[in-house]
Amino acid sequence: MHTRYLLSILTVFITHATASSHIHRENAHGRRAPLDDALLDKRVSALEARDTCISPDPDNTLTDRMNIALNSSGPGYILSLCPGKQYIITAPILFAAPQQEISTQGYPTDDQRATLVVMGPVANGAGHTTAVDGTCANCTGVKLRNIQINGTRLGAPPTNGGANIEMGGANSNQLIEYVRSYDPRSWSCLHVSEGALNCNNVTVRNNDIGPCGSDAFQQWADGISMSCRNSFVLNNMIENPTDGGIVLFGAPGTRVENNTIWVVNQTLLGGINMVDYDPFSGDYTGTIVTNNTIVGAFATGPDTDGDSKGVNKPDVIIKIGIAIGPRTWFGPRYYNNVSQSGTVINNQLTGAFGYGMAMTSARNFTVEQNVLVGNTSFIGSRGPNCSSSDTTPNPAAFVIDWNTVTASTTQFDFQSVPDGNSLTCILPPQGGDYWPYGGNPNPNSTTSPVAPPEANKAESGSSSALKIGLAVGIVVGVLAIAAAAWFIRRWALNRHNRPASSTIRRSEYLPQSPENKTWL
């Protein structure tokens, strides 16, 4: 008994010593040597083998198998999908615990991302519309990453129900990244809901969204619909949405930055919308829309005659590039209620629009340094849904209804209009050489199709802000020159008066600051 016990201890000791000689051996200086490459490769292969993805077959049990895995595995579980595979689902896949993740194995960012295909039944305008739902009461920190979602509307009328992706709710710190979402059966490609106004800090980044919906009347769909506080919508590429490219339902404290929205063959009502009064009673406090690129339609044929404009075969435009205030969208439906306290700064527009920016029924907004770049056109005419009693303004780059905008800072190139109600009623022209020549962005690119605007261009900022900046710059310049002259004079006097053998400290001729603590 004692002999067998001693042999066991010796075996463990020898095994441990052998492993240590490969993994933890030290060189002559007492530093750990690098891991053996072959051993490391074996360990990585073993880990990958254990990280198995869920099979899409058989598809008649797939939806249940995926939901059972999430519901039974607890916090932090990763539902890993197989690269390049399609997953035919007949009901939403439901996150069930904090920090869970749904992703493609290996995290590809191209067509190797697994695809969830929405295929549940639809009848009488209702049915299966949502692929993934992260709104459970215990869904804080869940992640949806590196997958594709095909909503399979396939030209049908919209179905009542949720978006392709439903996230948010009474949760925090969720992440949606490197996801492609397109062709939703219902009203949005991606919706982050507000919960009981307590959703917080959801990040939506590096996704490629669209097409979303149809531009037929009331068959539209959003690209990204954000209603969660203190969130981030960053670096997304949104192609061919039809209702709003990015719609902010208040979402106080949210930052919308470096997104690109463009149309190809469908008219878009609004690029970025800050028009919804509900659910935050028009509160856009701390909501910042900055450095986004909105690309209207371009001429679809080649420029053979050196003309500046040409035809667009499907006759599409973006009706409003950036829309601010409920009256812009809904007319008097919300009476005198307003959107308030948002910031729209340093965005760029190119291509064909009805209105580049339109602002009505807003208070305490800052709207500055938004610019036109490349070739632009502002086209369209009154449509059948325009009010017979309202004056629909002519298409223009920047329009504002000062009758309903108060206490706001705006760039100087807004054109005042007497009535800014329901501007999405306009229609694009039918045919004609009205569309500028240009090019749409590459959906596979992470960069904007045009260079970012220069923040201090005189034609892009408010005249008051520019004058203040110029005055401050002059004052600072004069003070800097005076300070430099004083220090040079003091240095010259010290040099003239010091003994030949003296040692001069740096502090004798440089100003004292935390970074100037070095002595010569």
Side-chain angles (χ1 to χ4, degrees):
M1 181 71 177
H2 292 292
T3 303
R4 292 177 61 189
Y5 178 70
L6 290 172
L7 285 173
S8 298
I9 293 175
L10 182 61
T11 301
V12 170
F13 175 78
I14 292 171
T15 303
H16 176 72
T18 303
S20 297
S21 68
H22 285 285
I23 300 172
H24 299 301
R25 65 181 183 271
E26 298 182 353
N27 59 23
H29 298 287
R31 296 176 181 172
R32 289 184 177 180
L35 288 171
D36 180 82
D37 289 342
L39 181 61
L40 183 60
D41 289 343
K42 289 179 181 179
R43 292 187 173 192
V44 170
S45 297
L47 288 172
E48 289 177 346
R50 291 200 300 268
D51 185 21
T52 55
C53 54
I54 190 168
S55 173
D57 299 316
D59 59 14
N60 64 328
T61 64
L62 175 62
T63 303
D64 287 340
R65 284 188 288 120
M66 295 173 78
N67 278 324
I68 289 170
L70 287 164
N71 198 50
S72 63
S73 298
Y77 171 70
I78 298 177
L79 179 65
S80 185
L81 309 183
C82 301
K85 298 295 185 180
Q86 287 197 343
Y87 290 75
I88 309 299
I89 59 174
T90 55
I93 306 304
L94 306 173
F95 283 105
Q99 309 299 327
Q100 289 186 337
E101 175 179 309
I102 300 174
S103 57
T104 301
Q105 185 182 52
Y107 300 105
T109 58
D110 56 12
D111 287 344
Q112 283 301 297
R113 289 172 290 182
T115 304
L116 297 180
V117 182
V118 176
M119 289 294 285
V122 172
N124 300 319
H128 181 206
T129 63
T130 297
V132 176
D133 191 312
T135 62
C136 74
N138 203 22
C139 280
T140 285
V142 300
K143 303 176 182 69
L144 183 65
R145 307 174 64 193
N146 303 78
I147 69 168
Q148 302 182 81
I149 294 176
N150 180 358
T152 66
R153 182 189 289 196
L154 301 175
T159 300
N160 291 326
N164 264 2
I165 303 166
E166 285 285 342
M167 300 289 277
N171 297 292
S172 303
N173 307 324
Q174 295 182 346
L175 173 66
I176 306 101
E177 68 174 0
Y178 297 105
V179 172
R180 183 186 178 205
S181 175
Y182 62 99
D183 201 23
R185 291 180 170 185
S186 190
W187 67 283
S188 184
C189 277
L190 167 59
H191 177 216
V192 183
S193 65
E194 68 279 0
L197 304 186
N198 55 352
C199 178
N200 185 64
N201 189 33
V202 172
T203 297
V204 180
R205 68 186 181 198
N206 301 319
N207 302 290
D208 43 301
I209 305 294
C212 308
S214 164
D215 63 1
F217 184 68
Q218 293 188 342
Q219 296 193 16
W220 312 297
D222 294 343
I224 297 174
S225 311
M226 173 58 72
S227 191
C228 183
R229 292 180 184 270
N230 305 317
S231 295
F232 298 88
V233 182
L234 308 173
N235 306 326
N236 300 287
M237 303 289 284
I238 305 168
E239 175 185 2
N240 249 17
T242 50
D243 197 343
I246 298 174
V247 180
L248 295 166
F249 293 86
T254 293
R255 189 173 184 92
V256 178
E257 182 171 5
N258 201 37
N259 303 282
T260 301
I261 301 163
W262 76 102
V263 295
V264 178
N265 55 11
Q266 300 197 100
T267 287
L268 170 61
L269 300 185
I272 298 178
N273 299 342
M274 305 175 78
V275 300
D276 285 273
Y277 185 73
D278 296 326
F280 285 95
S281 301
D283 185 10
Y284 288 84
T285 301
T287 301
I288 300 173
V289 174
T290 184
N291 200 35
N292 300 284
T293 299
I294 304 175
V295 183
F298 291 109
T300 53
D303 182 7
T304 57
D305 300 320
D307 295 333
S308 61
K309 294 181 174 62
V311 300
N312 180 284
K313 290 181 180 178
D315 297 329
V316 302
I317 60 172
I318 296 178
K319 293 188 177 184
I320 307 175
I322 300 177
I324 301 169
R327 283 182 175 267
T328 305
W329 206 265
F330 305 106
R333 184 186 308 176
Y334 290 97
Y335 302 100
N336 293 321
N337 291 320
V338 298
S339 298
Q340 56 185 321
S341 303
T343 299
V344 180
I345 187 168
N346 205 35
N347 300 284
Q348 54 188 338
L349 303 100
T350 187
F353 300 84
Y355 309 96
M357 293 183 65
M359 185 174 179
T360 69
S361 54
R363 182 173 65 245
N364 194 34
F365 257 76
T366 298
V367 183
E368 294 191 298
Q369 299 176 4
N370 302 286
V371 297
L372 309 178
V373 295
N375 297 320
T376 57
S377 290
F378 301 95
I379 54 180
S381 58
R382 287 174 56 87
N385 294 314
C386 292
S387 170
S388 59
S389 59
D390 290 340
T391 302
T392 303
N394 292 326
F398 304 106
V399 298
I400 188 168
D401 183 354
W402 284 113
N403 297 311
T404 58
V405 174
T406 60
S408 295
T409 302
T410 61
Q411 59 196 67
F412 75 96
D413 46 0
F414 267 102
Q415 173 184 325
S416 179
V417 296
D419 189 331
N421 286 343
S422 305
L423 299 184
T424 58
C425 71
I426 65 168
L427 293 178
Q430 298 298 303
D433 295 340
Y434 301 115
W435 284 264
Y437 286 100
N440 283 316
N442 179 357
N444 298 316
S445 172
T446 58
T447 59
S448 296
V450 290
E454 296 178 19
N456 292 323
K457 273 191 175 181
E459 63 267 29
S460 64
S462 72
S463 57
S464 59
L466 290 172
K467 289 175 183 177
I468 292 170
L470 181 60
V472 171
I474 292 171
V475 171
V476 171
V478 170
L479 291 175
I481 293 169
W486 185 85
F487 286 117
I488 292 170
R489 182 177 181 275
R490 184 171 181 180
W491 174 81
L493 290 173
N494 285 332
R495 182 182 178 88
H496 181 267
N497 294 328
R498 75 171 184 247
S501 61
S502 65
T503 300
I504 306 300
R505 297 182 303 177
R506 185 181 299 267
S507 61
E508 290 180 8
Y509 58 91
L510 283 182
Q512 277 298 294
S513 62
E515 61 270 22
N516 285 322
K517 294 292 186 183
T518 303
W519 306 102
L520 287 177

